[in-house]
Coordinates of all heavy atoms in Angstrom, one line a residue:
L1552 N -77.1 -22.1 -37.6 CA -75.9 -21.9 -36.8 C -76.1 -22.6 -35.4 O -75.1 -22.7 -34.7 CB -75.8 -20.4 -36.5 CG -75.3 -19.5 -37.7 CD1 -75.4 -18.1 -37.4 CD2 -73.9 -19.9 -38.2
G1553 N -77.2 -23.1 -35.1 CA -77.5 -23.8 -33.9 C -77.7 -22.9 -32.7 O -77.6 -23.3 -31.5
L1554 N -78.2 -21.7 -33.0 CA -78.4 -20.7 -31.9 C -79.8 -20.9 -31.3 O -80.1 -20.3 -30.3 CB -78.2 -19.3 -32.4 CG -76.8 -18.9 -32.9 CD1 -76.8 -17.5 -33.4 CD2 -75.8 -19.1 -31.7
V1555 N -80.7 -21.6 -32.0 CA -82.1 -21.8 -31.6 C -82.4 -23.3 -31.7 O -81.7 -24.0 -32.5 CB -83.1 -20.9 -32.4 CG1 -82.7 -19.4 -32.2 CG2 -83.1 -21.3 -33.8
N1556 N -83.5 -23.7 -31.1 CA -83.9 -25.1 -31.1 C -84.9 -25.4 -32.2 O -84.8 -26.4 -32.9 CB -84.5 -25.5 -29.8 CG -83.4 -25.5 -28.7 OD1 -83.3 -24.5 -28.0 ND2 -82.7 -26.6 -28.5
R1557 N -85.9 -24.5 -32.3 CA -87.0 -24.7 -33.3 C -87.4 -23.4 -33.9 O -87.4 -22.4 -33.2 CB -88.2 -25.4 -32.6 CG -88.0 -26.8 -32.2 CD -89.3 -27.4 -31.8 NE -90.3 -27.5 -32.9 CZ -91.6 -27.8 -32.8 NH1 -92.0 -28.1 -31.6 NH2 -92.4 -27.9 -33.8
V1558 N -87.7 -23.4 -35.2 CA -88.3 -22.3 -35.9 C -89.6 -22.7 -36.4 O -89.8 -23.7 -37.1 CB -87.4 -21.9 -37.1 CG1 -88.0 -20.7 -37.9 CG2 -86.0 -21.5 -36.6
V1559 N -90.7 -21.9 -36.1 CA -92.0 -22.3 -36.4 C -92.8 -21.1 -36.9 O -92.4 -19.9 -36.7 CB -92.8 -22.8 -35.2 CG1 -92.1 -24.1 -34.7 CG2 -92.9 -21.8 -34.1
P1560 N -93.8 -21.3 -37.7 CA -94.7 -20.1 -38.1 C -95.2 -19.4 -36.8 O -95.4 -20.1 -35.8 CB -95.8 -20.8 -38.9 CG -95.2 -22.1 -39.4 CD -94.3 -22.5 -38.3
A1561 N -95.5 -18.1 -37.0 CA -96.0 -17.3 -35.8 C -97.2 -17.9 -35.1 O -97.3 -18.0 -33.9 CB -96.2 -15.9 -36.2
E1562 N -98.1 -18.5 -35.9 CA -99.3 -19.0 -35.4 C -99.1 -20.3 -34.6 O -100.0 -20.8 -33.9 CB -100.4 -19.2 -36.4 CG -100.0 -20.2 -37.5 CD -99.3 -19.6 -38.7 OE1 -98.7 -18.5 -38.5 OE2 -99.2 -20.3 -39.8
E1563 N -97.9 -20.9 -34.7 CA -97.6 -22.2 -34.0 C -96.7 -22.0 -32.9 O -96.3 -23.0 -32.2 CB -97.0 -23.2 -35.0 CG -98.0 -23.6 -36.2 CD -97.3 -24.5 -37.2 OE1 -96.2 -25.0 -36.9 OE2 -97.9 -24.7 -38.3
L1564 N -96.3 -20.7 -32.6 CA -95.3 -20.5 -31.5 C -95.8 -21.0 -30.2 O -95.0 -21.7 -29.5 CB -95.0 -19.0 -31.5 CG -93.9 -18.6 -30.4 CD1 -92.6 -19.3 -30.6 CD2 -93.7 -17.1 -30.4
D1565 N -97.0 -20.6 -29.8 CA -97.4 -20.9 -28.4 C -97.5 -22.5 -28.3 O -97.1 -23.0 -27.2 CB -98.8 -20.3 -28.1 CG -98.7 -18.8 -27.9 OD1 -97.6 -18.4 -27.5 OD2 -99.7 -18.1 -28.1
E1566 N -98.0 -23.1 -29.3 CA -98.1 -24.6 -29.2 C -96.7 -25.2 -29.1 O -96.5 -26.2 -28.4 CB -98.8 -25.1 -30.4 CG -98.9 -26.7 -30.5 CD -99.6 -27.3 -29.3 OE1 -100.5 -26.6 -28.6 OE2 -99.3 -28.4 -29.0
A1567 N -95.8 -24.7 -29.9 CA -94.4 -25.3 -29.9 C -93.8 -25.1 -28.5 O -93.1 -26.0 -28.0 CB -93.5 -24.7 -31.0
V1568 N -93.9 -23.9 -27.9 CA -93.4 -23.6 -26.6 C -94.1 -24.5 -25.6 O -93.4 -25.1 -24.7 CB -93.6 -22.2 -26.2 CG1 -93.2 -21.9 -24.7 CG2 -92.7 -21.3 -27.1
A1569 N -95.4 -24.7 -25.7 CA -96.2 -25.6 -24.8 C -95.7 -27.0 -24.8 O -95.6 -27.7 -23.8 CB -97.6 -25.5 -25.0
Q1570 N -95.4 -27.5 -26.0 CA -94.9 -28.9 -26.2 C -93.6 -29.0 -25.4 O -93.3 -30.0 -24.7 CB -94.7 -29.2 -27.6 CG -96.0 -29.4 -28.4 CD -95.8 -29.7 -29.9 OE1 -94.6 -29.7 -30.3 NE2 -96.9 -29.9 -30.6
L1571 N -92.7 -28.0 -25.6 CA -91.4 -28.1 -24.9 C -91.5 -28.0 -23.4 O -90.9 -28.8 -22.6 CB -90.4 -27.0 -25.4 CG -89.0 -27.0 -24.8 CD1 -88.3 -28.3 -24.9 CD2 -88.2 -25.9 -25.5
T1572 N -92.3 -27.0 -22.9 CA -92.4 -26.9 -21.5 C -93.2 -28.1 -20.9 O -92.9 -28.5 -19.7 CB -93.1 -25.6 -21.1 OG1 -94.4 -25.5 -21.8 CG2 -92.3 -24.4 -21.5
G1573 N -94.1 -28.7 -21.7 CA -94.8 -29.9 -21.2 C -93.8 -31.0 -21.0 O -93.9 -31.8 -20.0
A1574 N -92.9 -31.2 -21.9 CA -91.8 -32.2 -21.8 C -91.0 -32.0 -20.6 O -90.7 -32.9 -19.8 CB -91.0 -32.3 -23.1
L1575 N -90.5 -30.7 -20.4 CA -89.7 -30.4 -19.3 C -90.4 -30.6 -17.9 O -89.9 -31.1 -17.0 CB -89.2 -28.9 -19.4 CG -88.3 -28.6 -20.5 CD1 -88.1 -27.1 -20.6 CD2 -87.0 -29.3 -20.4
S1576 N -91.7 -30.2 -17.9 CA -92.5 -30.4 -16.7 C -92.8 -31.8 -16.3 O -93.1 -32.1 -15.2 CB -93.9 -29.6 -16.9 OG -93.7 -28.3 -17.1
S1577 N -92.6 -32.7 -17.3 CA -92.8 -34.1 -17.0 C -91.6 -34.8 -16.3 O -91.7 -35.9 -15.7 CB -93.1 -34.9 -18.3 OG -91.9 -35.0 -19.1
L1578 N -90.5 -34.1 -16.2 CA -89.3 -34.6 -15.6 C -89.4 -34.5 -14.1 O -90.1 -33.5 -13.5 CB -88.1 -33.8 -16.1 CG -87.8 -33.9 -17.6 CD1 -86.7 -32.9 -18.0 CD2 -87.5 -35.3 -18.0
P1579 N -88.8 -35.4 -13.3 CA -88.8 -35.3 -11.9 C -88.0 -34.1 -11.4 O -87.0 -33.7 -12.0 CB -88.2 -36.6 -11.4 CG -87.3 -37.0 -12.6 CD -88.0 -36.6 -13.8
R1580 N -88.4 -33.5 -10.3 CA -87.7 -32.3 -9.8 C -86.2 -32.6 -9.5 O -85.3 -31.8 -9.8 CB -88.4 -31.9 -8.5 CG -89.8 -31.3 -8.7 CD -90.5 -30.9 -7.5 NE -91.8 -30.3 -7.7 CZ -92.9 -30.9 -8.1 NH1 -92.9 -32.2 -8.2 NH2 -94.0 -30.2 -8.3
D1581 N -85.9 -33.7 -8.8 CA -84.5 -34.0 -8.6 C -83.7 -34.2 -9.8 O -82.5 -33.9 -9.9 CB -84.4 -35.3 -7.7 CG -84.7 -35.0 -6.2 OD1 -84.9 -33.8 -5.9 OD2 -84.7 -35.9 -5.4
G1582 N -84.4 -34.8 -10.8 CA -83.7 -35.0 -12.1 C -83.3 -33.6 -12.8 O -82.3 -33.4 -13.3
I1583 N -84.3 -32.7 -12.7 CA -84.0 -31.3 -13.2 C -82.9 -30.7 -12.5 O -81.9 -30.1 -13.1 CB -85.3 -30.5 -13.1 CG1 -86.4 -31.0 -14.1 CG2 -85.0 -29.0 -13.4 CD1 -87.7 -30.3 -13.9
A1584 N -82.9 -30.8 -11.1 CA -81.8 -30.2 -10.4 C -80.4 -30.8 -10.7 O -79.4 -30.1 -10.9 CB -82.1 -30.4 -8.9
T1585 N -80.4 -32.1 -10.9 CA -79.2 -32.8 -11.2 C -78.7 -32.4 -12.6 O -77.5 -32.1 -12.9 CB -79.3 -34.3 -11.2 OG1 -79.7 -34.7 -9.8 CG2 -78.0 -35.0 -11.5
G1586 N -79.7 -32.3 -13.6 CA -79.3 -31.9 -14.9 C -78.8 -30.5 -15.0 O -77.8 -30.3 -15.7
R1587 N -79.4 -29.6 -14.2 CA -78.9 -28.3 -14.3 C -77.5 -28.2 -13.7 O -76.6 -27.5 -14.2 CB -79.8 -27.3 -13.4 CG -81.2 -27.3 -13.9 CD -81.3 -26.8 -15.4 NE -80.7 -25.5 -15.6 CZ -80.0 -25.2 -16.7 NH1 -79.7 -26.1 -17.6 NH2 -79.5 -24.0 -16.8
T1588 N -77.2 -28.9 -12.6 CA -75.9 -28.9 -12.0 C -74.8 -29.5 -13.0 O -73.7 -28.9 -13.1 CB -75.9 -29.8 -10.7 OG1 -76.9 -29.3 -9.8 CG2 -74.5 -29.8 -10.1
V1589 N -75.2 -30.5 -13.7 CA -74.2 -31.1 -14.7 C -74.0 -30.1 -15.8 O -72.8 -29.9 -16.3 CB -74.8 -32.4 -15.3 CG1 -74.0 -32.9 -16.5 CG2 -74.8 -33.5 -14.2
A1590 N -75.0 -29.4 -16.2 CA -74.9 -28.4 -17.3 C -73.9 -27.2 -16.8 O -73.0 -26.8 -17.5 CB -76.2 -27.8 -17.7
H1591 N -74.1 -26.8 -15.5 CA -73.3 -25.8 -15.0 C -71.8 -26.2 -14.9 O -70.9 -25.4 -15.1 CB -73.8 -25.3 -13.6 CG -75.2 -24.8 -13.7 ND1 -76.0 -24.7 -12.5 CD2 -75.9 -24.4 -14.7 CE1 -77.2 -24.2 -12.9 NE2 -77.2 -24.0 -14.2
L1592 N -71.6 -27.5 -14.5 CA -70.2 -28.0 -14.5 C -69.6 -28.0 -15.9 O -68.4 -27.6 -16.0 CB -70.2 -29.4 -13.9 CG -70.5 -29.6 -12.5 CD1 -70.7 -31.1 -12.1 CD2 -69.3 -29.1 -11.6
A1593 N -70.4 -28.3 -16.9 CA -69.9 -28.3 -18.3 C -69.5 -26.8 -18.7 O -68.5 -26.6 -19.3 CB -71.0 -28.8 -19.2
Y1594 N -70.4 -25.9 -18.3 CA -70.0 -24.5 -18.6 C -68.7 -24.1 -18.0 O -67.9 -23.4 -18.6 CB -71.1 -23.5 -18.0 CG -72.5 -23.8 -18.6 CD1 -73.6 -23.4 -17.9 CD2 -72.7 -24.4 -19.8 CE1 -74.9 -23.6 -18.3 CE2 -74.0 -24.6 -20.3 CZ -75.1 -24.2 -19.6 OH -76.4 -24.4 -20.0
D1595 N -68.5 -24.5 -16.7 CA -67.2 -24.2 -16.1 C -66.0 -24.9 -16.8 O -65.0 -24.3 -16.9 CB -67.3 -24.6 -14.6 CG -68.2 -23.7 -13.8 OD1 -68.6 -22.7 -14.3 OD2 -68.5 -24.1 -12.6
I1596 N -66.2 -26.1 -17.1 CA -65.1 -26.8 -17.8 C -64.8 -26.2 -19.1 O -63.6 -26.0 -19.5 CB -65.5 -28.3 -18.0 CG1 -65.6 -29.1 -16.7 CG2 -64.5 -29.0 -19.0 CD1 -66.2 -30.4 -16.8
L1597 N -65.8 -25.7 -19.9 CA -65.6 -25.0 -21.1 C -65.1 -23.6 -21.0 O -64.7 -23.0 -22.0 CB -66.9 -25.0 -21.9 CG -67.4 -26.4 -22.4 CD1 -68.8 -26.3 -23.0 CD2 -66.5 -27.0 -23.5
G1598 N -65.1 -23.1 -19.8 CA -64.7 -21.7 -19.5 C -65.7 -20.7 -19.8 O -65.3 -19.5 -19.7
I1599 N -66.9 -21.0 -20.1 CA -67.9 -20.1 -20.4 C -68.2 -19.1 -19.2 O -68.4 -17.9 -19.4 CB -69.2 -20.8 -20.9 CG1 -68.9 -21.4 -22.2 CG2 -70.4 -19.8 -21.0 CD1 -70.1 -22.3 -22.7
G1600 N -68.3 -19.7 -18.0 CA -68.6 -18.9 -16.9 C -67.5 -18.0 -16.5 O -67.7 -17.1 -15.6
Q1601 N -66.3 -18.1 -17.0 CA -65.2 -17.3 -16.7 C -65.1 -16.0 -17.5 O -64.2 -15.2 -17.4 CB -63.9 -18.1 -16.8 CG -63.8 -19.3 -15.9 CD -62.6 -20.1 -16.2 OE1 -61.6 -19.6 -16.8 NE2 -62.6 -21.4 -15.8
S1602 N -66.0 -15.9 -18.5 CA -65.9 -14.7 -19.4 C -66.6 -13.5 -18.9 O -66.5 -12.4 -19.5 CB -66.5 -15.1 -20.8 OG -67.9 -15.5 -20.6
F1603 N -67.4 -13.6 -17.8 CA -68.2 -12.4 -17.4 C -67.3 -11.3 -16.7 O -67.5 -10.2 -17.0 CB -69.3 -12.9 -16.5 CG -70.3 -13.7 -17.1 CD1 -70.3 -15.1 -16.9 CD2 -71.3 -13.2 -18.0 CE1 -71.2 -15.9 -17.6 CE2 -72.2 -14.0 -18.6 CZ -72.1 -15.4 -18.4
T1604 N -66.4 -11.8 -15.9 CA -65.5 -10.8 -15.2 C -64.6 -10.0 -16.1 O -64.6 -8.8 -16.0 CB -64.7 -11.5 -14.1 OG1 -65.6 -12.1 -13.2 CG2 -63.8 -10.5 -13.4
P1605 N -63.9 -10.6 -17.1 CA -63.2 -9.8 -18.1 C -64.0 -8.8 -18.8 O -63.6 -7.8 -19.2 CB -62.6 -10.9 -19.0 CG -62.5 -12.1 -18.2 CD -63.7 -12.1 -17.3
H1606 N -65.3 -9.2 -19.0 CA -66.2 -8.3 -19.8 C -66.3 -7.0 -19.0 O -66.1 -5.9 -19.6 CB -67.5 -8.9 -20.0 CG -68.6 -8.0 -20.6 ND1 -68.4 -7.5 -21.8 CD2 -69.7 -7.5 -20.1 CE1 -69.4 -6.7 -22.1 NE2 -70.2 -6.7 -21.0
Y1607 N -66.7 -7.0 -17.8 CA -67.0 -5.7 -17.1 C -65.7 -5.1 -16.6 O -65.6 -3.9 -16.3 CB -68.0 -5.9 -15.9 CG -67.5 -6.7 -14.7 CD1 -66.6 -6.1 -13.8 CD2 -68.0 -7.9 -14.4 CE1 -66.2 -6.8 -12.7 CE2 -67.6 -8.6 -13.3 CZ -66.7 -8.0 -12.4 OH -66.3 -8.7 -11.3
G1608 N -64.6 -5.9 -16.5 CA -63.3 -5.4 -16.0 C -62.5 -4.7 -17.1 O -61.8 -3.7 -16.9
V1609 N -62.7 -5.2 -18.4 CA -61.8 -4.7 -19.5 C -62.6 -3.9 -20.5 O -62.2 -2.9 -21.0 CB -61.1 -5.9 -20.1 CG1 -60.3 -5.4 -21.4 CG2 -60.2 -6.6 -19.2
H1610 N -63.8 -4.4 -20.9 CA -64.6 -3.8 -21.9 C -64.8 -2.3 -21.8 O -64.5 -1.6 -22.7 CB -65.9 -4.6 -22.1 CG -66.8 -4.0 -23.1 ND1 -66.8 -4.4 -24.4 CD2 -67.9 -3.2 -23.0 CE1 -67.7 -3.8 -25.1 NE2 -68.4 -3.0 -24.3
P1611 N -65.3 -1.8 -20.6 CA -65.5 -0.4 -20.5 C -64.3 0.5 -20.7 O -64.3 1.6 -21.2 CB -66.2 -0.2 -19.2 CG -65.8 -1.4 -18.4 CD -65.7 -2.5 -19.4
L1612 N -63.2 -0.1 -20.2 CA -61.9 0.7 -20.2 C -61.5 0.8 -21.7 O -61.0 1.9 -22.1 CB -60.9 0.0 -19.4 CG -61.3 -0.2 -17.9 CD1 -60.1 -0.8 -17.1 CD2 -61.6 1.2 -17.3
F1613 N -61.6 -0.2 -22.5 CA -61.2 -0.2 -23.9 C -62.2 0.8 -24.6 O -61.7 1.6 -25.4 CB -61.3 -1.6 -24.5 CG -60.1 -2.4 -24.3 CD1 -60.2 -3.7 -24.0 CD2 -58.8 -1.8 -24.4 CE1 -59.1 -4.5 -23.8 CE2 -57.7 -2.6 -24.2 CZ -57.8 -3.9 -23.9
V1614 N -63.5 0.7 -24.4 CA -64.4 1.5 -25.1 C -64.3 2.9 -24.8 O -64.3 3.8 -25.6 CB -65.9 1.0 -24.8 CG1 -66.9 2.0 -25.4 CG2 -66.1 -0.4 -25.4
M1615 N -64.1 3.2 -23.5 CA -64.0 4.6 -23.1 C -62.7 5.2 -23.6 O -62.5 6.5 -23.8 CB -64.0 4.7 -21.5 CG -65.4 4.4 -21.0 SD -65.5 4.6 -19.2 CE -65.1 6.3 -19.0
G1616 N -61.7 4.4 -23.8 CA -60.4 4.9 -24.3 C -60.3 4.9 -25.8 O -59.3 5.4 -26.4
T1617 N -61.4 4.5 -26.5 CA -61.4 4.5 -28.0 C -61.4 5.9 -28.5 O -62.2 6.7 -28.1 CB -62.6 3.7 -28.5 OG1 -62.5 2.3 -28.0 CG2 -62.7 3.7 -30.0
R1618 N -60.6 6.2 -29.5 CA -60.6 7.5 -30.1 C -60.9 7.3 -31.6 O -60.5 6.3 -32.2 CB -59.2 8.1 -30.0 CG -58.8 8.5 -28.6 CD -59.7 9.5 -28.0 NE -59.4 9.8 -26.6 CZ -60.0 9.2 -25.5 NH1 -61.0 8.4 -25.7 NH2 -59.7 9.6 -24.3
R1619 N -61.7 8.2 -32.1 CA -62.2 8.1 -33.5 C -61.8 9.3 -34.3 O -61.8 10.4 -33.8 CB -63.7 7.9 -33.6 CG -64.1 6.6 -32.8 CD -65.7 6.6 -32.7 NE -66.1 5.4 -31.9 CZ -66.1 5.4 -30.6 NH1 -65.7 6.4 -29.9 NH2 -66.5 4.2 -30.0
S1620 N -61.3 9.1 -35.5 CA -61.0 10.2 -36.4 C -62.3 10.9 -36.9 O -63.3 10.3 -36.8 CB -60.1 9.7 -37.6 OG -60.9 8.8 -38.4
P1621 N -62.2 12.1 -37.4 CA -63.4 12.8 -37.8 C -64.3 12.1 -38.8 O -65.5 12.4 -38.8 CB -62.8 14.1 -38.4 CG -61.5 14.3 -37.7 CD -60.9 12.9 -37.6
D1622 N -63.7 11.2 -39.6 CA -64.5 10.5 -40.6 C -65.1 9.2 -40.1 O -65.8 8.5 -40.8 CB -63.7 10.3 -41.9 CG -62.5 9.4 -41.6 OD1 -62.0 9.3 -40.5 OD2 -62.1 8.7 -42.6
E1623 N -64.9 8.9 -38.8 CA -65.4 7.7 -38.3 C -66.6 7.9 -37.4 O -66.7 9.0 -36.8 CB -64.3 7.0 -37.4 CG -63.2 6.5 -38.3 CD -62.0 5.9 -37.4 OE1 -61.9 6.3 -36.3 OE2 -61.3 5.1 -38.0
F1624 N -67.6 7.0 -37.4 CA -68.9 7.2 -36.8 C -68.8 6.9 -35.3 O -68.2 5.9 -34.8 CB -69.9 6.3 -37.4 CG -71.3 6.4 -36.8 CD1 -72.0 7.6 -36.9 CD2 -71.9 5.3 -36.2 CE1 -73.2 7.8 -36.4 CE2 -73.2 5.5 -35.7 CZ -73.8 6.7 -35.8
D1625 N -69.3 7.8 -34.5 CA -69.5 7.7 -33.0 C -70.9 8.0 -32.7 O -71.3 9.1 -32.7 CB -68.5 8.6 -32.3 CG -68.5 8.5 -30.8 OD1 -69.5 8.0 -30.3 OD2 -67.5 8.8 -30.2
F1626 N -71.7 6.9 -32.4 CA -73.1 7.1 -32.1 C -73.4 8.0 -31.0 O -74.2 8.9 -31.0 CB -73.7 5.7 -31.9 CG -75.2 5.8 -31.6 CD1 -76.1 5.9 -32.6 CD2 -75.7 5.8 -30.3 CE1 -77.5 6.0 -32.4 CE2 -77.0 5.9 -30.0 CZ -77.9 6.0 -31.1
H1627 N -72.6 7.8 -29.9 CA -72.9 8.7 -28.7 C -72.6 10.1 -29.0 O -73.5 11.0 -28.6 CB -72.0 8.2 -27.5 CG -72.4 6.9 -26.9 ND1 -71.9 6.4 -25.8 CD2 -73.4 6.1 -27.3 CE1 -72.4 5.2 -25.5 NE2 -73.4 5.0 -26.4
E1628 N -71.5 10.5 -29.6 CA -71.2 11.8 -29.9 C -72.2 12.4 -30.9 O -72.7 13.5 -30.8 CB -69.8 11.9 -30.5 CG -69.3 13.4 -30.6 CD -69.2 14.1 -29.3 OE1 -69.0 13.4 -28.2 OE2 -69.5 15.3 -29.2
T1629 N -72.6 11.6 -31.9 CA -73.5 12.1 -33.0 C -74.9 12.3 -32.3 O -75.6 13.3 -32.7 CB -73.6 11.0 -34.1 OG1 -72.3 10.8 -34.6 CG2 -74.5 11.5 -35.2
S1630 N -75.3 11.5 -31.4 CA -76.6 11.7 -30.7 C -76.6 13.0 -29.9 O -77.6 13.6 -29.8 CB -76.9 10.5 -29.9 OG -76.1 10.4 -28.7
R1631 N -75.5 13.3 -29.4 CA -75.4 14.6 -28.6 C -75.6 15.8 -29.6 O -76.2 16.8 -29.3 CB -74.1 14.7 -27.9 CG -73.9 13.7 -26.8 CD -72.6 14.1 -26.0 NE -72.3 13.0 -25.0 CZ -71.4 12.1 -25.2 NH1 -70.6 12.1 -26.3 NH2 -71.1 11.2 -24.3
E1632 N -75.0 15.6 -30.8 CA -75.0 16.7 -31.8 C -76.3 16.8 -32.5 O -76.9 17.9 -32.8 CB -73.9 16.6 -32.8 CG -72.5 16.7 -32.1 CD -71.4 16.4 -33.1 OE1 -71.7 16.0 -34.3 OE2 -70.2 16.4 -32.7
K1633 N -76.9 15.7 -32.9 CA -78.0 15.6 -33.8 C -79.3 15.0 -33.2 O -80.3 15.0 -33.9 CB -77.6 14.8 -35.1 CG -76.5 15.4 -35.9 CD -76.2 14.6 -37.1 CE -75.0 15.2 -37.9 NZ -74.8 14.4 -39.1
G1634 N -79.2 14.6 -32.0 CA -80.3 13.9 -31.4 C -80.4 12.4 -31.8 O -79.7 12.0 -32.7
M1635 N -81.3 11.7 -31.1 CA -81.4 10.3 -31.4 C -81.8 9.9 -32.8 O -81.1 9.1 -33.5 CB -82.4 9.6 -30.4 CG -82.6 8.1 -30.6 SD -81.1 7.2 -30.3 CE -80.8 7.5 -28.5
K1636 N -82.8 10.6 -33.3 CA -83.2 10.3 -34.7 C -82.1 10.6 -35.7 O -81.9 9.9 -36.7 CB -84.5 11.1 -35.0 CG -85.7 10.6 -34.3 CD -86.9 11.4 -34.7 CE -88.2 10.8 -34.1 NZ -89.4 11.6 -34.5
G1637 N -81.4 11.7 -35.5 CA -80.3 12.1 -36.4 C -79.2 11.1 -36.4 O -78.6 10.7 -37.4

Side-chain angles (χ1 to χ4, degrees):
L1552 292 173
L1554 297 177
V1555 302
N1556 296 92
R1557 290 189 64 187
V1558 178
V1559 299
E1562 62 272 17
E1563 298 178 13
L1564 179 59
D1565 286 335
E1566 177 60 27
V1568 171
Q1570 288 178 358
L1571 178 54
T1572 57
L1575 295 172
S1576 298
S1577 70
L1578 300 173
R1580 290 175 176 79
D1581 283 355
I1583 291 173
T1585 300
R1587 300 305 301 139
T1588 302
V1589 171
H1591 300 163
L1592 287 170
Y1594 301 156
D1595 288 347
I1596 292 170
L1597 293 170
I1599 293 173
Q1601 299 174 20
S1602 61
F1603 296 101
T1604 301
H1606 173 65
Y1607 71 73
V1609 176
H1610 178 83
L1612 304 182
F1613 278 139
V1614 172
M1615 291 179 63
T1617 299
R1618 297 294 179 264
R1619 300 168 183 86
S1620 62
D1622 63 333
E1623 294 176 332
F1624 180 62
D1625 184 335
F1626 180 81
H1627 287 184
E1628 190 62 35
T1629 304
S1630 68
R1631 294 189 188 102
E1632 296 174 357
K1633 301 181 179 181
M1635 179 61 64
K1636 289 185 177 179

